[in-house]
Amino acid sequence: MVDLRLARDAGTLTQRAYTLQPVRSRVACVAIWAGVLACGVAVGAAAMRWCDSRHATVPAACASVPVSPDAVRAELERTRLALAQESTARSTVQKTADASAAEVSRLNTDLLFLRGQEQKRR
């Protein structure tokens, strides 16, 4: 025995247009993504804070060394003297380079003149 009601229901089910519907609403999806983003930002901030706290501490060997003002002045004077020597050495090297460039220019001029004289002879 065939139930005709079921046959009729099957016919209407096959004739309908079906579309996919989301399981969650758009608001729920946006809220989930916002929550994931907020968690990522929080984890990143915590990692940065942890890394900064590890590197912000001064080693005990550096913190316990007292520095006298006389030692600072002596180091400053030594640095100034080294800077003056460096400046003098650079100016001397620059003068030597300028003189060498002038000599090269003069020698090139002489070479061009001599090559020109050699071509006139032929």
Side-chain angles (χ1 to χ4, degrees), residues 8-76:
R8 191 181 47 188
D9 287 339
T12 58
L13 290 176
T14 58
Q15 299 301 318
R16 288 187 189 167
Y18 290 97
T19 59
L20 294 176
Q21 295 179 351
V23 176
R24 294 182 187 95
S25 67
R26 286 189 180 167
V27 174
C29 290
V30 170
I32 289 171
W33 278 108
V36 168
L37 180 67
C39 288
V41 168
V43 168
M48 285 180 56
R49 188 171 180 104
W50 176 75
C51 186
D52 285 345
S53 68
R54 287 189 60 206
H55 294 296
T57 58
V58 178
C62 293
S64 64
V65 176
V67 179
S68 69
D70 293 334
V72 172
R73 284 191 197 107
E75 182 67 21
L76 181 62

Coordinates of all heavy atoms in Angstrom, one line a residue, residues 8-76:
R8 N 2.9 12.8 -2.9 CA 2.7 14.2 -3.2 C 3.7 15.1 -2.6 O 4.2 16.1 -3.2 CB 1.3 14.6 -2.8 CG 0.8 15.9 -3.3 CD -0.5 16.3 -2.8 NE -0.6 16.0 -1.4 CZ -1.7 16.1 -0.7 NH1 -2.8 16.3 -1.2 NH2 -1.6 15.8 0.6
D9 N 4.1 14.8 -1.3 CA 5.1 15.6 -0.6 C 6.4 15.5 -1.3 O 7.2 16.5 -1.5 CB 5.2 15.2 0.8 CG 4.0 15.6 1.7 OD1 3.4 16.6 1.2 OD2 3.8 15.1 2.8
A10 N 6.8 14.3 -1.8 CA 8.0 14.2 -2.5 C 8.0 15.0 -3.8 O 9.0 15.5 -4.2 CB 8.2 12.7 -2.8
G11 N 6.9 15.1 -4.5 CA 6.8 15.8 -5.7 C 7.1 17.3 -5.4 O 7.7 18.0 -6.2
T12 N 6.5 17.9 -4.4 CA 6.7 19.3 -4.1 C 8.1 19.5 -3.6 O 8.6 20.6 -3.8 CB 5.7 19.7 -3.0 OG1 5.9 19.0 -1.8 CG2 4.3 19.7 -3.5
L13 N 8.7 18.6 -2.9 CA 10.1 18.8 -2.5 C 11.1 18.8 -3.7 O 12.1 19.6 -3.6 CB 10.5 17.7 -1.5 CG 9.9 17.7 -0.2 CD1 10.3 16.4 0.6 CD2 10.2 18.9 0.6
T14 N 10.8 18.1 -4.7 CA 11.7 18.1 -5.8 C 11.5 19.3 -6.7 O 12.4 19.6 -7.5 CB 11.5 16.8 -6.7 OG1 10.2 16.8 -7.1 CG2 11.9 15.6 -5.9
Q15 N 10.4 20.0 -6.6 CA 10.2 21.1 -7.5 C 10.6 22.5 -6.8 O 10.6 23.5 -7.5 CB 8.7 21.2 -7.8 CG 8.2 20.0 -8.5 CD 8.9 19.8 -9.8 OE1 9.1 20.7 -10.6 NE2 9.2 18.5 -10.1
R16 N 11.0 22.5 -5.6 CA 11.4 23.7 -4.9 C 12.8 24.2 -5.3 O 13.6 23.4 -5.7 CB 11.4 23.6 -3.4 CG 10.0 23.5 -2.8 CD 10.1 23.5 -1.4 NE 8.8 23.1 -0.8 CZ 8.6 22.8 0.5 NH1 9.7 22.8 1.3 NH2 7.5 22.6 1.0
A17 N 13.1 25.5 -5.2 CA 14.4 26.0 -5.4 C 15.1 26.1 -4.0 O 14.6 26.7 -3.1 CB 14.4 27.4 -6.0
Y18 N 16.3 25.5 -3.9 CA 16.9 25.5 -2.6 C 18.2 26.4 -2.7 O 18.8 26.4 -3.7 CB 17.4 24.0 -2.3 CG 16.3 23.1 -1.9 CD1 15.7 22.3 -2.9 CD2 15.7 23.1 -0.7 CE1 14.7 21.5 -2.6 CE2 14.7 22.3 -0.3 CZ 14.1 21.5 -1.3 OH 13.1 20.7 -1.0
T19 N 18.4 27.1 -1.6 CA 19.6 28.0 -1.5 C 20.3 27.7 -0.2 O 19.7 27.3 0.8 CB 19.2 29.5 -1.5 OG1 18.3 29.7 -0.5 CG2 18.6 29.8 -2.8
L20 N 21.6 27.9 -0.2 CA 22.4 27.7 1.0 C 22.1 28.8 2.0 O 22.1 30.0 1.6 CB 23.9 27.6 0.7 CG 24.3 26.3 -0.1 CD1 25.8 26.4 -0.4 CD2 24.0 25.1 0.6
Q21 N 21.9 28.5 3.2 CA 21.8 29.5 4.2 C 22.9 29.4 5.2 O 23.2 28.2 5.6 CB 20.4 29.4 4.9 CG 19.3 29.6 3.9 CD 17.9 29.4 4.6 OE1 17.8 29.0 5.7 NE2 16.9 29.8 3.9
P22 N 23.4 30.5 5.7 CA 24.5 30.4 6.7 C 24.0 29.8 8.0 O 22.9 30.1 8.4 CB 25.0 31.8 6.8 CG 23.9 32.7 6.4 CD 23.2 31.9 5.3
V23 N 24.9 29.1 8.7 CA 24.6 28.5 10.0 C 24.5 29.7 11.0 O 23.7 29.7 11.9 CB 25.6 27.5 10.3 CG1 25.3 26.9 11.7 CG2 25.6 26.3 9.3
R24 N 25.5 30.6 10.9 CA 25.5 31.7 11.8 C 25.2 33.0 11.0 O 25.4 33.1 9.9 CB 26.9 31.9 12.4 CG 27.3 30.7 13.3 CD 28.7 31.0 13.8 NE 29.2 29.8 14.6 CZ 29.9 28.8 14.0 NH1 30.3 28.9 12.8 NH2 30.3 27.8 14.7
S25 N 24.7 34.0 11.8 CA 24.3 35.2 11.1 C 25.6 36.0 10.8 O 26.7 35.7 11.4 CB 23.4 36.0 12.0 OG 24.1 36.4 13.2
R26 N 25.5 37.0 10.0 CA 26.6 37.9 9.7 C 27.2 38.6 10.9 O 28.4 38.7 11.1 CB 26.3 38.9 8.6 CG 26.1 38.3 7.3 CD 26.0 39.3 6.2 NE 25.9 38.6 4.9 CZ 25.5 39.2 3.9 NH1 25.2 40.5 3.9 NH2 25.4 38.6 2.7
V27 N 26.3 39.0 11.8 CA 26.7 39.7 13.0 C 27.6 38.7 13.9 O 28.6 39.1 14.4 CB 25.5 40.1 13.8 CG1 25.9 40.7 15.2 CG2 24.7 41.2 13.0
A28 N 27.2 37.4 13.9 CA 28.0 36.5 14.7 C 29.3 36.3 14.1 O 30.3 36.2 14.8 CB 27.2 35.2 14.8
C29 N 29.4 36.2 12.8 CA 30.7 36.0 12.1 C 31.6 37.2 12.3 O 32.8 37.0 12.6 CB 30.4 35.8 10.6 SG 29.7 34.2 10.2
V30 N 31.1 38.4 12.2 CA 31.9 39.6 12.4 C 32.3 39.6 13.9 O 33.5 40.0 14.1 CB 31.1 40.8 12.0 CG1 31.8 42.1 12.5 CG2 30.8 40.9 10.5
A31 N 31.5 39.2 14.8 CA 31.9 39.2 16.2 C 33.0 38.2 16.5 O 33.9 38.5 17.2 CB 30.7 38.9 17.1
I32 N 32.9 37.0 15.8 CA 33.9 36.0 16.0 C 35.3 36.5 15.5 O 36.3 36.4 16.1 CB 33.5 34.7 15.3 CG1 32.4 34.1 16.1 CG2 34.7 33.8 15.2 CD1 31.7 32.9 15.4
W33 N 35.2 37.1 14.2 CA 36.5 37.6 13.7 C 37.1 38.8 14.5 O 38.3 38.9 14.7 CB 36.3 38.1 12.2 CG 36.3 37.0 11.3 CD1 35.3 36.4 10.6 CD2 37.5 36.3 10.9 NE1 35.7 35.4 9.8 CE2 37.1 35.3 10.0 CE3 38.8 36.3 11.2 CZ2 37.9 34.4 9.4 CZ3 39.7 35.4 10.6 CH2 39.2 34.5 9.7
A34 N 36.2 39.6 15.0 CA 36.7 40.7 15.9 C 37.3 40.1 17.2 O 38.3 40.6 17.7 CB 35.5 41.7 16.3
G35 N 36.7 39.1 17.7 CA 37.3 38.4 18.9 C 38.6 37.8 18.6 O 39.6 37.9 19.4
V36 N 38.8 37.2 17.5 CA 40.1 36.6 17.1 C 41.1 37.7 16.9 O 42.2 37.5 17.4 CB 39.9 35.7 15.8 CG1 41.2 35.4 15.2 CG2 39.1 34.5 16.1
L37 N 40.7 38.8 16.3 CA 41.6 39.9 16.1 C 42.1 40.5 17.4 O 43.2 40.8 17.7 CB 41.0 41.0 15.2 CG 41.8 42.2 14.9 CD1 43.0 41.8 14.1 CD2 41.0 43.2 14.2
A38 N 41.1 40.7 18.3 CA 41.4 41.2 19.6 C 42.4 40.3 20.4 O 43.3 40.8 21.1 CB 40.2 41.5 20.4
C39 N 42.1 39.0 20.3 CA 43.0 38.0 21.0 C 44.4 38.1 20.4 O 45.4 38.1 21.1 CB 42.5 36.6 20.9 SG 41.0 36.3 21.9
G40 N 44.5 38.2 19.1 CA 45.9 38.3 18.4 C 46.6 39.6 18.9 O 47.8 39.6 19.2
V41 N 45.9 40.7 19.0 CA 46.5 41.9 19.4 C 47.0 41.8 20.9 O 48.0 42.3 21.2 CB 45.5 43.1 19.2 CG1 46.0 44.4 19.9 CG2 45.3 43.4 17.7
A42 N 46.1 41.2 21.7 CA 46.5 41.1 23.1 C 47.7 40.2 23.3 O 48.6 40.5 24.1 CB 45.3 40.5 23.9
V43 N 47.8 39.1 22.5 CA 48.9 38.2 22.6 C 50.2 38.9 22.1 O 51.3 38.8 22.7 CB 48.7 36.9 21.8 CG1 50.0 36.1 21.6 CG2 47.6 36.0 22.5
G44 N 50.1 39.7 21.0 CA 51.2 40.4 20.5 C 51.7 41.5 21.5 O 52.9 41.6 21.7
A45 N 50.8 42.2 22.1 CA 51.2 43.2 23.1 C 51.8 42.5 24.3 O 52.8 43.1 24.9 CB 49.9 44.0 23.6
A46 N 51.3 41.4 24.8 CA 51.9 40.7 25.9 C 53.3 40.2 25.5 O 54.2 40.3 26.4 CB 51.0 39.5 26.3
A47 N 53.5 39.7 24.3 CA 54.8 39.3 23.9 C 55.8 40.4 23.9 O 57.0 40.3 24.3 CB 54.8 38.6 22.6
M48 N 55.4 41.6 23.3 CA 56.3 42.8 23.3 C 56.6 43.2 24.7 O 57.8 43.6 25.0 CB 55.6 43.9 22.5 CG 55.6 43.7 21.0 SD 54.8 45.0 20.1 CE 55.7 46.4 20.7
R49 N 55.6 43.2 25.6 CA 55.9 43.7 27.0 C 56.9 42.7 27.6 O 57.8 43.2 28.4 CB 54.6 43.8 27.7 CG 54.7 44.4 29.1 CD 53.4 44.7 29.7 NE 53.5 45.3 31.0 CZ 53.3 46.5 31.2 NH1 53.0 47.3 30.3 NH2 53.4 47.0 32.4
W50 N 56.7 41.4 27.4 CA 57.6 40.5 28.0 C 59.0 40.6 27.5 O 60.0 40.6 28.2 CB 57.1 39.1 27.8 CG 58.0 38.0 28.2 CD1 58.2 37.6 29.5 CD2 58.8 37.2 27.4 NE1 59.1 36.5 29.6 CE2 59.5 36.3 28.3 CE3 59.1 37.1 26.1 CZ2 60.4 35.3 27.8 CZ3 60.0 36.1 25.6 CH2 60.6 35.3 26.5
C51 N 59.1 40.8 26.2 CA 60.5 41.0 25.6 C 61.1 42.3 26.1 O 62.3 42.3 26.4 CB 60.3 41.0 24.0 SG 61.9 41.0 23.2
D52 N 60.4 43.4 26.2 CA 60.9 44.6 26.7 C 61.4 44.5 28.1 O 62.4 45.0 28.5 CB 59.9 45.7 26.5 CG 59.8 46.2 25.1 OD1 60.7 45.9 24.3 OD2 58.8 46.9 24.8
S53 N 60.6 43.8 28.9 CA 61.0 43.6 30.3 C 62.2 42.8 30.5 O 63.0 43.0 31.4 CB 59.8 43.0 31.1 OG 59.7 41.6 30.7
R54 N 62.5 41.9 29.6 CA 63.7 41.0 29.7 C 64.9 41.9 29.3 O 66.0 41.7 29.9 CB 63.6 39.9 28.7 CG 62.6 38.8 29.2 CD 62.7 37.5 28.4 NE 64.1 37.0 28.5 CZ 64.6 36.2 27.6 NH1 63.9 36.0 26.5 NH2 65.8 35.8 27.7
H55 N 64.8 42.8 28.4 CA 65.9 43.6 27.9 C 66.1 44.9 28.6 O 67.1 45.5 28.5 CB 65.8 43.8 26.4 CG 65.9 42.6 25.6 ND1 67.0 41.8 25.5 CD2 65.0 42.0 24.8 CE1 66.8 40.8 24.7 NE2 65.5 40.9 24.3
A56 N 65.1 45.3 29.4 CA 65.2 46.6 30.1 C 66.0 46.5 31.4 O 66.5 47.5 31.9 CB 63.8 47.1 30.5
T57 N 66.2 45.4 31.9 CA 67.0 45.3 33.2 C 68.5 45.5 32.9 O 69.0 45.0 31.9 CB 66.8 43.9 33.8 OG1 67.2 42.9 32.9 CG2 65.4 43.7 34.2
V58 N 69.1 46.2 33.7 CA 70.5 46.5 33.6 C 71.3 45.4 34.3 O 71.0 45.1 35.5 CB 70.9 47.9 34.2 CG1 72.3 48.2 34.2 CG2 70.1 49.0 33.5
P59 N 72.3 44.9 33.7 CA 73.1 43.8 34.4 C 73.8 44.4 35.6 O 74.1 45.6 35.7 CB 74.2 43.4 33.3 CG 73.6 43.9 32.0 CD 72.7 45.0 32.3
A60 N 73.9 43.5 36.6 CA 74.4 44.0 37.9 C 75.8 44.5 37.8 O 76.2 45.4 38.5 CB 74.4 42.8 38.9
A61 N 76.6 43.9 36.9 CA 78.0 44.4 36.7 C 78.1 45.8 36.2 O 79.0 46.6 36.6 CB 78.8 43.5 35.8
C62 N 77.1 46.2 35.4 CA 77.1 47.6 34.8 C 76.6 48.6 35.8 O 77.0 49.7 35.9 CB 76.3 47.6 33.6 SG 77.0 46.7 32.2
A63 N 75.6 48.2 36.6 CA 74.9 49.1 37.5 C 75.8 49.4 38.7 O 75.7 50.4 39.3 CB 73.6 48.5 38.0
S64 N 76.7 48.5 39.1 CA 77.4 48.7 40.4 C 78.7 49.4 40.2 O 79.4 49.7 41.2 CB 77.7 47.3 41.0 OG 78.5 46.5 40.2
V65 N 79.2 49.7 39.0 CA 80.5 50.4 38.8 C 80.3 51.9 38.9 O 79.6 52.5 38.1 CB 81.0 50.0 37.3 CG1 82.3 50.8 37.1 CG2 81.2 48.5 37.2
P66 N 80.9 52.4 39.9 CA 80.8 53.9 40.1 C 81.8 54.6 39.1 O 82.9 54.1 38.9 CB 81.2 54.1 41.5 CG 82.1 53.0 41.9 CD 81.6 51.8 41.1
V67 N 81.4 55.7 38.6 CA 82.3 56.4 37.6 C 82.6 57.8 38.3 O 81.7 58.6 38.6 CB 81.6 56.6 36.3 CG1 82.5 57.4 35.3 CG2 81.2 55.2 35.7
S68 N 83.9 58.1 38.4 CA 84.2 59.4 39.0 C 84.2 60.5 37.9 O 84.5 60.2 36.7 CB 85.6 59.3 39.6 OG 86.6 59.1 38.6
P69 N 83.9 61.7 38.3 CA 83.9 62.8 37.4 C 85.3 63.0 36.7 O 85.4 63.4 35.6 CB 83.5 64.0 38.2 CG 82.8 63.4 39.4 CD 83.4 62.1 39.6
D70 N 86.4 62.8 37.5 CA 87.7 62.9 36.9 C 88.0 61.9 35.8 O 88.6 62.3 34.8 CB 88.8 62.7 38.0 CG 88.7 63.9 39.0 OD1 88.3 65.0 38.7 OD2 89.1 63.6 40.2
A71 N 87.5 60.7 35.9 CA 87.6 59.7 34.9 C 86.9 60.1 33.6 O 87.3 59.9 32.5 CB 87.2 58.4 35.4
V72 N 85.7 60.7 33.8 CA 84.9 61.1 32.7 C 85.6 62.3 32.0 O 85.6 62.3 30.7 CB 83.5 61.6 33.2 CG1 82.7 62.2 32.1 CG2 82.7 60.4 33.8
R73 N 86.1 63.2 32.7 CA 86.9 64.3 32.1 C 88.1 63.8 31.3 O 88.4 64.3 30.2 CB 87.3 65.4 33.2 CG 86.2 66.2 33.7 CD 86.7 67.4 34.5 NE 85.5 67.9 35.3 CZ 85.3 67.7 36.6 NH1 86.2 67.1 37.3 NH2 84.3 68.3 37.1
A74 N 88.8 62.9 31.9 CA 90.0 62.4 31.3 C 89.6 61.6 30.0 O 90.3 61.8 28.9 CB 90.7 61.4 32.2
E75 N 88.5 60.9 30.0 CA 88.1 60.2 28.8 C 87.6 61.2 27.7 O 87.9 61.0 26.6 CB 86.9 59.3 29.2 CG 86.4 58.5 28.0 CD 87.4 57.5 27.5 OE1 88.3 57.1 28.2 OE2 87.2 57.1 26.3
L76 N 87.0 62.3 28.2 CA 86.5 63.3 27.2 C 87.8 64.0 26.6 O 87.8 64.2 25.4 CB 85.7 64.3 28.0 CG 85.1 65.5 27.1 CD1 84.2 64.9 26.0 CD2 84.4 66.5 28.0

